[in-house]
């Protein structure tokens, strides 16, 4: 987890940080000397919900495999004290949701330094939901705008990954190519008003580490991502929205005892096609950070990071009926985050961490209605300031 503006190696669009999650392999679940295993789980919650799951995994020779499935069923839940819907219901309407997760993962280790992994993951949710799932129209009495309908949201991700080490000048390598398909299907009393949508993403990353003079590390790589949006219908004269992001980064971690210095430089460019306009641009984003170990238990740290995020596409379900005009100089949002902190380990049981941060995001993307119906303008609408301590 990287909080705030990400470092040069954080990836595409890390203006507000980055979260990286990796699914487990069979060897993470098998005990030493064990070659086959399985897990079965089930649970129940007091507010009308239950879950169940099954996983099986094993290894043979250089191969290992993992297959996992889980289901969660939640009924309309009972609200907290003070909830007062207009229909006097004792549950929150349209809060019921079914969920299903599937994972298949196969790996082959050529030796300790070379490994190839192919995985496919699917997350699916289904149920009768309000038009805007994050809003509760039941208390406002605006039920006409609620428009509940049965909806299925499904995300499929296929990933092929290579992990390598000790490749001459390259001490560590991680590369992947992936395809992600998100489908939203809606089943409404009036099929013509269904907000079906699809978003297809293809991407690739190459991340390399190399040692320098035995004690320093150089990190460098390439990130690429292409997205295409497919609404259910497309008005005459509108484009199908799509966007391509490309990034290159170079980051050095310098061990200058008692100081660890991190320097980075990232180059990002984008090319986006909106329903009724196009935009492109590029940014160079530097970063620098330092950790000063005053004693083995006391350290000071400071960092200054820049990152940019390309303009976001229109919400896919609505993009087929909107004319999204682009301000002639529409730029990527650019974030700058300055942070200082201290870390003190009192003993093995108690430690203290404190930090102060100040972040500014310039050229924040904004949208406004134009006089003509269904016409909107995307433009850079100002600066977002965010500061605080923890």
């Amino acid at each position: 987890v990287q909080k705030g503006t990400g470092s040069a190696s954080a990836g595409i669009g890390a203006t507000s940080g980055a979260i990286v999650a990796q699914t487990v392999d069979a060897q993470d679940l098998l005990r030493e000397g064990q070659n086959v295993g399985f897990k079965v789980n089930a649970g129940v919650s007091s507010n009308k919900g239950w879950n169940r799951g099954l996983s099986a995994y094993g290894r043979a020779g250089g191969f290992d495999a993992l297959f996992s499935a889980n289901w969660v069923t939640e009924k309309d839940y009972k609200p907290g004290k003070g909830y007062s819907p207009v229909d006097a219901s004792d549950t929150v309407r349209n809060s019921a949701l079914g969920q299903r997760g599937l994972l298949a993962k196969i790996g082959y280790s050529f030796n300790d330094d070379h490994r190839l992994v192919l995985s496919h993951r699917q997350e699916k949710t289904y149920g009768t939901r309000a038009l805007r799932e994050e809003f509760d129209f039941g208390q406002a009495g605006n039920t006409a705008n609620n428009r509940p309908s049965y909806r299925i949201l499904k995300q499929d991700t296929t990933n092929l990954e290579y992990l390598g080490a000790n490749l001459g000048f390259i001490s560590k390598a991680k590369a992947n190519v992936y395809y992600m398909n998100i489908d939203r299907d809606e089943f409404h009393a009036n099929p013509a008003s269904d907000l079906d949508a699809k978003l297809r993403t293809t991407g690739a990353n190459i991340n390399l580490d190399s040692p320098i003079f035995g004690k320093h590390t150089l990190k460098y790589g390439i990130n690429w991502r292409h997205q295409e949006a497919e609404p259910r219908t497309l008005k005459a004269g509108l484009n199908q929205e799509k966007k391509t992001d490309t990034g290159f980064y170079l980051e050095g971690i310098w061990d200058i005892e008692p100081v660890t210095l991190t320097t980075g430089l990232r180059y990002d460019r984008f090319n986006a096609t909106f329903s009724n306009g196009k935009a492109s641009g590029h940014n160079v984003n530097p970063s620098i950070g330092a950790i000063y170990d005053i004693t083995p238990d006391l350290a000071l740290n400071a960092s200054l990071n820049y990152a940019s995020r390309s303009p976001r596409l229109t919400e896919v379900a609505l993009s087929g009926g909107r004319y999204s005009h682009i301000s002639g100089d529409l730029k990527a949002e650019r974030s700058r985050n300055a942070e200082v902190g201290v870390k003190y380990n009192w003993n093995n049981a108690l430690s203290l961490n404190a930090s102060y941060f100040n972040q500014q995001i310039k050229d924040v993307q904004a949208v406004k209605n134009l006089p003509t119906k269904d016409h909107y303008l995307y433009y850079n609408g100002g600066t977002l300031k965010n500061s605080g301590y923890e």
Side-chain angles (χ1 to χ4, degrees):
V1 177
Q2 289 193 31
K3 299 180 292 182
T5 303
S7 62
S9 58
I12 293 171
T15 53
S16 297
I19 299 174
V20 178
Q22 182 169 328
T23 54
V24 296
D25 293 316
Q27 56 202 21
D28 296 316
L29 302 175
L30 292 167
R31 295 186 294 271
E32 187 174 350
Q34 182 187 19
N35 291 320
V36 179
F38 72 93
K39 288 186 176 184
V40 178
N41 66 276
V44 61
S45 58
S46 62
N47 211 342
K48 300 182 179 179
W50 60 91
N51 63 80
R52 56 274 187 210
L54 171 67
S55 299
Y57 38 88
R59 59 187 168 195
F63 285 97
D64 58 87
L66 165 68
F67 303 94
S68 182
N70 68 83
W71 295 263
V72 178
T73 302
E74 297 174 339
K75 298 297 185 180
D76 285 345
Y77 61 78
K78 183 179 178 181
K81 185 178 180 180
Y83 182 81
S84 55
V86 293
D87 62 357
S89 172
D90 61 352
T91 61
V92 177
R93 298 295 190 188
N94 308 311
S95 61
L97 188 67
Q99 302 177 62
R100 186 189 72 187
L102 305 174
L103 172 66
K105 195 171 185 180
I106 300 174
Y108 182 74
S109 298
F110 297 89
N111 52 46
D112 290 341
D113 292 336
H114 302 281
R115 176 169 168 79
L116 202 60
V117 182
L118 176 65
S119 65
H120 183 81
R121 190 176 81 248
Q122 183 189 89
E123 287 89 28
K124 179 180 179 181
T125 63
Y126 43 92
T128 300
R129 309 293 280 171
L131 177 64
R132 290 287 191 182
E133 297 187 17
E134 70 273 28
F135 295 154
D136 175 20
F137 292 88
Q139 296 185 83
N142 194 4
T143 53
N145 281 345
N146 192 3
R147 211 188 78 176
S149 58
Y150 189 83
R151 189 174 303 137
I152 299 174
L153 182 65
K154 185 171 64 175
Q155 175 175 311
D156 286 274
T157 306
T158 302
N159 184 60
L160 178 63
E161 183 176 76
Y162 165 74
L163 301 169
N166 302 317
L167 303 167
F169 178 66
I170 301 171
S171 61
K172 185 178 178 182
K174 183 176 181 179
N176 75 308
V177 58
Y178 65 91
Y179 176 72
M180 181 186 299
N181 183 35
I182 301 176
D183 282 352
R184 167 183 160 141
D185 296 310
E186 192 170 282
F187 304 90
H188 193 258
N190 178 13
S193 64
D194 288 349
L195 294 174
D196 295 349
K198 294 176 172 54
L199 180 65
R200 312 196 189 284
T201 304
T202 306
N205 302 281
I206 300 175
N207 304 289
L208 306 172
D209 290 6
S210 293
I212 303 177
F213 307 123
K215 58 188 302 187
H216 312 302
T217 302
L218 191 65
K219 302 167 72 73
Y220 49 103
I222 303 172
N223 311 116
W224 176 81
R225 182 178 66 199
H226 177 74
Q227 297 174 293
E228 293 190 7
E230 296 182 16
R232 183 176 185 270
T233 57
L234 197 63
K235 279 188 177 180
L238 293 183
N239 298 311
Q240 187 169 297
E241 298 196 346
K242 57 186 177 181
K243 181 174 69 169
T244 300
D245 290 282
T246 307
F248 305 88
Y249 72 88
L250 182 66
E251 189 172 87
I253 302 174
W254 315 98
D255 183 4
I256 313 169
E257 195 174 354
V259 175
T260 302
L261 179 68
T262 301
T263 58
L265 189 66
R266 183 175 181 88
Y267 174 79
D268 288 289
R269 68 172 297 110
F270 73 91
N271 196 311
T273 299
F274 290 82
S275 63
N276 200 45
K278 295 184 178 182
S280 61
H282 60 90
N283 291 91
V284 177
N285 298 307
S287 60
I288 185 169
I291 301 173
Y292 175 32
D293 293 309
I294 300 174
T295 71
D297 296 320
L298 176 63
L300 304 177
N301 61 80
S303 63
L304 178 64
N305 291 346
Y306 286 82
S308 56
R309 179 169 68 168
S310 58
R312 296 179 300 286
L313 301 178
T314 306
E315 187 175 350
V316 183
L318 305 177
S319 63
R322 289 186 169 190
Y323 293 84
S324 299
H325 301 271
I326 306 304
S327 173
D329 60 347
L330 183 66
K331 299 186 287 287
E333 297 177 347
R334 192 162 190 254
S335 174
R336 183 227 71 197
N337 187 75
E339 186 166 342
V340 293
V342 60
K343 181 176 182 180
Y344 179 57
N345 293 318
W346 182 272
N347 52 41
N348 290 335
L350 183 64
S351 64
L352 171 69
N353 291 274
S355 65
Y356 173 81
F357 62 89
N358 183 284
Q359 182 186 47
Q360 287 193 6
I361 303 178
K362 294 184 177 181
D363 297 318
V364 172
Q365 183 177 337
V367 59
K368 62 182 176 183
N369 294 17
L370 294 175
T372 307
K373 183 182 178 182
D374 294 331
H375 285 251
Y376 300 83
L377 177 67
Y378 285 170
Y379 66 102
N380 297 115
T383 300
L384 185 150
K385 298 180 180 180
N386 178 32
S387 62
Y389 65 88
E390 60 181 9

